[in-house]
Amino acid sequence: MQASLRRWGCGDQKRAMEYKENGPKLSIFEQRDHGALLQIVGRRRNALQYEIGNPLTASNMTRHNLAAALYAPLWVVLFEDERGKGVFEYDKPSSFLASMAMSE
C-alpha cells in the first residue's frame, strides 16, 4: 500500500488517504475458466468463476476470525445455461458468516 501512496505523489493526498482508509471498492482476486474443466468429459461450457471482494474487508474479517477466510473474499460464477442465457450465481455471505463470532 505504501508503494501506491508514493506512486500517486504529494499532489493527490486526498485520493491517497481515501485509498488507505477505504481501499478499492471491489477487487477480482482470481479468475478461473471453470467451463474448460468440462473438456475432460468432452463437454466444454461457458463458465467463469471469480473470487471477488474488498481486500480491506476480507483482512479485517479474518483478523477477528481466521476461519472467515473460507468466505471472504467471495466466490461467484457466471455461466451460460442450456438456452444460452447468462446466469450469475453466488452464496449469500451472511448465511455462512452468521455462524462465526466476529468479535475480538
Side-chain angles (χ1 to χ4, degrees):
M1 188 177 326
Q2 290 299 325
S4 295
L5 295 176
R6 283 192 296 272
R7 184 172 52 239
W8 285 332
C10 296
D12 201 355
Q13 291 178 353
K14 181 179 179 187
R15 182 176 171 201
M17 289 307 296
E18 285 176 7
Y19 181 86
K20 183 178 178 183
E21 291 174 11
N22 303 317
K25 301 295 183 216
L26 184 67
S27 295
I28 296 175
F29 296 99
E30 187 73 39
Q31 175 187 332
R32 290 181 188 83
D33 185 353
H34 196 78
L37 293 175
L38 294 173
Q39 289 182 145
I40 296 169
V41 295
R43 189 172 177 233
R44 190 184 191 319
R45 298 279 305 270
N46 291 324
L48 297 173
Q49 184 181 41
Y50 295 94
E51 182 179 0
I52 66 169
N54 181 306
L56 292 178
T57 300
S59 65
N60 283 336
M61 291 170 64
T62 56
R63 180 182 62 189
H64 297 294
N65 187 333
L66 196 51
L70 291 168
Y71 312 111
L74 305 173
W75 286 100
V76 299
V77 64
L78 178 62
F79 63 93
E80 182 179 27
D81 68 12
E82 293 77 19
R83 296 173 294 168
K85 184 178 177 183
V87 178
F88 181 75
E89 292 279 345
Y90 63 97
D91 286 324
K92 189 174 179 182
S94 59
S95 61
F96 296 109
L97 296 172
S99 64
M100 298 183 175
M102 300 309 277
S103 61
E104 292 185 76

